[in-house]
Amino acid sequence: MRYQWRTGSAAWLSQRISGVILGFFIVMHIADRSHRLSLHVPGLISFITGTSGRLLLLALVIMHGLNGIRIILIESGLPTSLQKPAFLLALSIGTALFIAGL
């Protein structure tokens, strides 16, 4: 029996990965702003506080938030047959929000 990647699997994995990266961003932000904690990783801190880091953070927050709303809807009774259209809708709304955020 082979496992098949479907839309729900990709959405589940993207939710977990974006959550871990967002947690990392929060820790790095707190460490950067705290005067008592110094990480001595100037390249990483400059990436996080730079334009590229901010765009990545915007994309992650939008993706994680909209995918979370999709998960809440599915767990609240939305038929699982609508999982793929809900994911594609969240993806298109997220793309529009990201472009607006640029």
Side-chain angles (χ1 to χ4, degrees), residues 28-101:
M28 290 294 110
H29 177 72
I30 291 170
D32 181 47
R33 297 296 175 205
S34 173
H35 297 291
R36 291 180 278 160
L37 184 63
S38 178
L39 292 178
H40 302 292
V41 188
L44 180 63
I45 298 299
S46 65
F47 172 76
I48 289 173
T49 58
T51 305
S52 300
R54 290 180 182 170
L55 290 176
L56 176 63
L57 183 61
L58 175 65
L60 287 170
V61 167
I62 290 171
M63 181 181 72
H64 193 76
L66 290 176
N67 202 14
I69 292 170
R70 183 195 63 82
I71 290 170
I72 289 170
L73 290 174
I74 296 240
E75 290 180 355
S76 297
L78 187 72
T80 55
S81 61
L82 295 177
Q83 186 161 225
K84 186 173 184 175
F87 182 70
L88 295 175
L89 178 65
L91 191 63
S92 47
I93 290 172
T95 303
L97 286 173
F98 182 76
I99 290 171

